[in-house]
Amino acid sequence: ETGVTQSPTHLIKTRGQQVTLRCSSQSGHNTVSWYQQALGQGPQFIFQYYREEENGRGNFPPRFSGLQFPNYSSELNVNALELDDSALYLCASSHRLAAESNEQFFGPGTRLTVL
Amino acid sequence: LAKTTQPISMDSYEGQEVNITCSHNNIATNDYITWYQQFPSQGPRFIIQGYKTKVTNEVASLFIPADRKSSTLSLPRVSLSDTAVYYCLVGPANTGFQKLVFGTGTRLLVSP
């Protein structure tokens, strides 16, 4: 069984640029969530996708957007990058119908540095 | 959203039992308690989840008193590889993860 994978591992961008991060969910999972983790902090929920639709969003501006594809892979897009966007971006997959479970499977993350 | 409070850090030695307590005074009736572990430069990993009393798996035990206003994650006989950050999350199950908030966690350091 393949776990959650993310690409790229590291990325350096400059302020104002746009970035796309990619995630491949664990086999059989139909829900993906994206998190931002600043240094020394816990992960912060950005949004969640289920069946290609966003169905939950944290306190992040619209320049953070996402996509989920029929094969349950997903993308996180960030426009107009700001210095504070520098962080580890994590995706996590889970099965929507996993009864009474808050178990998510996280990928290793993409380290984004904005200069 | 249920607010959680955990110690910022804890120290232990190999072979000891470690208990990390999480306070969640405003837990709701339909909330579960979930713990995650995170190693440096890796994504968090689910450890255990419970609703009441005691839950045990191959990795840890979770103790929840009757009033559910706190919970204790117990790691038996820790090793150096248990050095990590441990997060306590409180929220409903399977309703979307936006209601599960990762705080700053408890940084556990296990020494030889």
Side-chain angles (χ1 to χ4, degrees):
Chain A
E1 185 180 81
T2 306
V4 178
T5 60
Q6 292 186 243
S7 63
T9 306
H10 297 86
L11 200 53
I12 299 175
K13 292 286 190 178
T14 56
R15 208 168 35 177
Q17 285 189 312
Q18 179 266 341
V19 69
T20 297
L21 310 182
R22 294 179 173 82
C23 172
S24 179
S25 296
Q26 184 159 315
S27 176
H29 288 177
N30 53 19
T31 300
V32 65
S33 302
W34 284 90
Y35 293 82
Q36 179 195 68
Q37 186 172 24
L39 208 57
Q41 302 297 314
Q44 284 196 67
F45 178 85
I46 303 175
F47 45 55
Q48 175 178 293
Y49 278 79
Y50 170 62
R51 290 185 175 177
E52 303 171 54
E53 297 281 336
E54 182 183 300
N55 79 335
R57 189 174 185 93
N59 188 26
F60 281 81
R63 61 189 184 85
F64 285 79
S65 63
L67 284 172
Q68 185 185 31
F69 301 102
N71 65 355
Y72 301 131
S73 64
S74 68
E75 289 181 354
L76 164 65
N77 298 289
V78 187
N79 294 322
L81 284 167
E82 300 177 359
L83 297 180
D84 285 348
D85 295 333
S86 295
L88 180 68
Y89 288 85
L90 297 160
C91 81
S93 73
S94 59
H95 197 285
R96 183 77 168 99
L97 298 179
E100 299 182 338
S101 173
N102 284 326
E103 181 173 12
Q104 298 180 87
F105 295 82
F106 283 81
T110 293
R111 173 73 61 188
L112 173 65
T113 302
V114 182
L115 303 176
Chain B
L1 297 179
K3 178 178 166 56
T4 61
T5 303
Q6 320 174 217
I8 294 174
S9 64
M10 294 182 69
D11 295 320
S12 184
Y13 293 96
E14 282 189 292
Q16 290 192 331
E17 178 184 75
V18 170
N19 295 308
I20 306 174
T21 296
C22 179
S23 173
H24 29 81
N25 291 318
N26 63 337
I27 188 169
T29 303
N30 61 340
D31 284 346
Y32 285 74
I33 300 149
T34 309
W35 286 80
Y36 278 81
Q37 172 193 56
Q38 186 176 26
F39 298 112
S41 299
Q42 293 187 27
R45 181 176 76 107
F46 173 91
I47 302 175
I48 198 166
Q49 175 180 309
Y51 183 81
K52 62 180 179 180
T53 62
K54 176 183 174 183
V55 179
T56 297
N57 61 22
E58 65 277 5
V59 176
S61 294
L62 178 59
F63 297 93
I64 306 167
D67 67 5
R68 303 199 330 121
K69 292 184 184 301
S70 67
S71 58
T72 299
L73 174 72
S74 182
L75 304 173
R77 299 183 59 77
V78 294
S79 64
L80 298 178
S81 62
D82 291 316
T83 293
V85 178
Y86 292 82
Y87 296 97
C88 165
L89 290 74
V90 174
N94 201 28
T95 59
F97 295 104
Q98 62 267 36
K99 296 182 180 178
L100 290 176
V101 178
F102 285 84
T104 51
T106 297
R107 193 168 301 270
L108 173 65
L109 175 63
V110 180
S111 300

